[in-house]
Amino acid sequence: MKSDGKPEAADRGRGTGETGPGGSTGFDGLDHGLIHALQLDGRAPFSRIAAVLGISDQTVARRYTRRRTHGALTDADRRLFYALALWLSVEPARLVAAGEAMAAHPEVGYACATTGPHNLFASVLCRNVGAVYRYLTTRVAALPGVRAMESAPRIRHIKGPGPVFPSPRPAPGRHR
């Protein structure tokens, strides 16, 4: 849409791309072209995609934003990787060795010792489900002292790492 509320020529007569009655996605040729271009090169600038599709950079940006907002396009970490939560039950005497070994794996973004029946947790990223299988059956299986393992795929990211707490203020009359 232009600032006057009228659709650009590239958007006239095309669906909005929103989900409509009956679950239709409303994707049109431009949306499919945009997605195809991003599949070929996910880092392609909007100007290059616009030139190939014969539309303006602004139309590409608007369509891209719309598709991201509605979940059709996601960040690279969700498109290219399979995220997994992993809980291990490790013999207590071998917990440090298993934790340090796991923390060194490039697939592990976060690892920590915990309490309870599973005493080692890791957040894991793999390229695809096959890579998850290979990771679990080779590298994790080789960790010292592992007695049991549970895993769960991340199906939707809801919140980031955690809250940011404000810095404590000095007491009145006291300066640092």
Side-chain angles (χ1 to χ4, degrees), residues 2-96:
K2 295 181 188 174
S3 58
D4 63 3
K6 296 180 182 175
E8 273 192 16
D11 287 331
R12 276 189 217 119
R14 300 182 190 273
T16 63
E18 317 299 334
T19 301
S24 170
T25 62
F27 273 48
D28 61 19
L30 287 181
D31 293 314
H32 289 289
L34 170 62
I35 291 169
H36 180 68
L38 292 169
Q39 286 173 331
L40 295 174
D41 180 2
R43 296 181 292 175
F46 290 165
S47 58
R48 185 180 322 146
I49 295 170
V52 170
L53 297 177
I55 57 177
S56 71
D57 298 10
Q58 294 81 10
T59 298
V60 172
R62 185 173 47 259
R63 293 293 184 108
Y64 177 84
T65 300
R66 183 182 302 149
R67 289 298 163 206
R68 283 215 42 186
T69 300
H70 294 284
L73 295 172
T74 59
D75 293 331
D77 66 323
R78 290 188 287 192
R79 284 188 296 124
L80 300 176
F81 295 97
Y82 190 82
L84 183 76
L86 183 61
W87 296 271
L88 300 177
S89 178
V90 179
E91 296 169 14
R94 303 182 91 182
L95 181 60
V96 172

Side-chain angles (χ1 to χ4, degrees), residues 94-162:
R94 303 182 91 182
L95 181 60
V96 172
E100 288 175 353
M102 177 171 265
H105 294 172
E107 297 89 349
V108 174
Y110 174 81
C112 68
T114 64
T115 61
H118 300 291
N119 53 2
L120 184 58
F121 171 82
S123 180
V124 177
L125 290 174
C126 293
R127 284 260 175 224
N128 52 45
V129 176
V132 169
Y133 178 78
R134 285 186 300 280
Y135 177 68
L136 295 178
T137 58
T138 58
R139 307 205 44 212
V140 174
L143 291 172
V146 173
R147 296 184 294 204
M149 170 177 51
E150 287 189 37
S151 63
R154 182 180 79 183
I155 57 174
R156 183 170 183 213
H157 186 85
I158 297 171
K159 184 174 180 177

